[in-house]
Amino acid sequence: MKKAKPYLWVPSLYFAEALPYVAVMAISTTMYKKMGLSNTDLALYTSWLYLPWVIKPLWSPFIDAIRTKRWWVITMQLLIGAGCAGIAFTLPTALWLKASLAFFWLIAFSSATHDIAADGFYILALDSHEQAFYVGIRSTFYRIATIFGQGALIMLAGQIEKNGNIPLSWSIVFMVMTGFFIIATAYHKFILPKVEEHIHNDSPDLNNVPVFNIKDTAKEFYKTLKIFFSKPQIISALLFMLLFRFPEAQLVKIVNPFMLDPVEKGGMGLETETVGFVYGTIGIIGLTLGGLLGGFVVAKDGLKKWFWWMVLSISLPDAVYIYLGATQTSNLFLINTCVFVEQFGYGFGFTAYMLYLIYFSRGENSTSVYAICTAFMALGMMLPGMVAGKITDMIGYENFFIWVMASCIITAGVSALLKIDPEFGKKKPL
């Protein structure tokens, strides 16, 4: 069988990679708010769902040892579909909260494992030229999936809930996701190229089977940890990884509840459908454009030149929520503009964060070191998010947004600790 062209599977693979992450991190927050959970509870429960991404490096070495990356991709998509089906069928029941959280955990662990396998498969199945050519395409379809999840699916729930049945509206959303992952599983089983050696008893040539040695795997992981913690500026780097997004980690858990809560409770009183459009569509467009601009200016002038502009960019636009919290305006143009500005700033500023992780990871075992960096990145989102709801319920939305702005001092403080090579990120002369 002739190997499928990358354009037949790269877009669908990265759409499928993004959608469950969006479901776990964004759709869950909106759904639980509409289902009646307090900000304290929904922020705590959904922040715990970051855990699989925090501990992902612990089991990533075993992916290759057990089965092929292709097998993991297909199997995880099937499990994600099963998790979505579980949420869809249990939301109308009395056990909806415990059951939905259990299925969200299934989706989260399957999604984190899918990330490992899909990214590894991308590297394995494409040569260096194809990897460079398709990197923009994979990023584009990742963003499209984000807009589909945070925008279209939440808008769908909002449209259906107008009939008064909130559990049914979210059940239908997860039925749609179930259908997608059933199709994705079948499609990828057919279309993904078989580029890996078999590593099991059905291998046609058992003499070529890689032998898995848990001792060697553990030794390699320990070596990576030693390299990571022996890096120059390790304390400053860890503080930066954990605290650079301290304000945003809190804000992201509260924005949708703030938009949905009635005016008398300090919220914006928007309908679910409107929130899906404002934050899931306009916001994601702003985020994407900010990220593109960030990549462009760093490629031109290097990270160091733009670093502090990016620190300001990820911090100062958070002030738009102080304005929204104080005015509770019903002007949709103003609301959309504020969200666009904040997300554009976040996208531009987040470029500095991701590039620093790459900068820090350079050298021996760079891929494994980078994986550990992303674990600390996820932990930096998980811990502040867990308490964001409690803080909001204690002091109210308006004061919470003032607190978020005050937290930006922490972002500036950990950024000041770093030393960055002025040449990093610049395009090298031919």
Side-chain angles (χ1 to χ4, degrees), residues 16-34:
E17 181 172 314
L19 193 55
Y21 182 83
V22 172
V24 170
M25 296 305 163
I27 296 177
S28 64
T29 304
T30 306
M31 183 191 83
Y32 283 135
K33 185 65 180 179
K34 295 300 292 186

Side-chain angles (χ1 to χ4, degrees), residues 53-54 56-57 60 361 365-376:
W53 284 274
V54 174
K56 185 170 69 171
S60 60
S361 302
N365 285 26
S366 59
T367 302
S368 299
V369 170
Y370 183 79
I372 297 173
C373 289
T374 62
F376 281 102

Side-chain angles (χ1 to χ4, degrees), residues 32-111:
Y32 283 135
K33 185 65 180 179
K34 295 300 292 186
M35 293 288 286
L37 256 64
S38 68
N39 290 339
T40 297
D41 288 341
L42 71 85
L44 177 63
Y45 295 153
T46 59
S47 291
W48 267 114
L49 295 174
Y50 275 107
L51 186 61
W53 284 274
V54 174
I55 62 175
K56 185 170 69 171
L58 295 178
W59 77 85
S60 60
F62 300 94
I63 295 294
D64 287 332
I66 298 173
R67 297 296 288 257
T68 64
K69 295 180 182 70
R70 184 180 186 277
W71 183 89
W72 281 106
V73 165
I74 294 166
T75 304
M76 291 306 104
Q77 288 180 5
L78 187 62
L79 285 178
I80 291 166
C84 291
I87 294 172
F89 287 113
T90 56
L91 279 180
T93 70
L95 295 173
W96 67 271
L97 179 56
K98 290 181 180 178
S100 65
L101 282 171
F103 285 117
F104 269 124
W105 273 101
L106 173 62
I107 295 171
F109 272 100
S110 301
S111 178

Side-chain angles (χ1 to χ4, degrees), residues 193-250:
K194 295 180 180 180
V195 294
E196 299 161 283
E197 286 184 311
H198 291 280
I199 57 173
H200 302 290
N201 292 333
D202 58 351
S203 174
D205 184 357
L206 294 178
N207 292 323
N208 290 329
V209 177
V211 178
F212 172 59
N213 186 314
I214 192 167
K215 185 178 178 182
D216 289 344
T217 302
K219 193 174 178 181
E220 186 65 22
F221 184 69
Y222 172 75
K223 178 185 174 184
T224 301
L225 285 178
K226 189 175 179 181
I227 292 169
F228 179 87
F229 286 105
S230 301
K231 289 268 188 180
Q233 274 206 300
I234 180 61
I235 300 299
S236 300
L238 283 175
L239 289 172
F240 180 79
M241 291 175 205
L242 289 170
L243 297 174
F244 181 73
R245 294 198 292 170
F246 183 74
E248 192 69 27
Q250 299 173 85

Side-chain angles (χ1 to χ4, degrees), residues 157-183:
Q159 189 64 34
I160 298 168
E161 76 178 22
K162 289 179 179 178
N163 296 321
N165 194 330
I166 291 175
L168 176 63
S169 67
W170 293 101
S171 288
I172 291 174
V173 164
F174 281 94
M175 285 178 188
V176 170
M177 290 185 63
T178 301
F180 168 77
F181 278 102
I182 290 172
I183 294 169

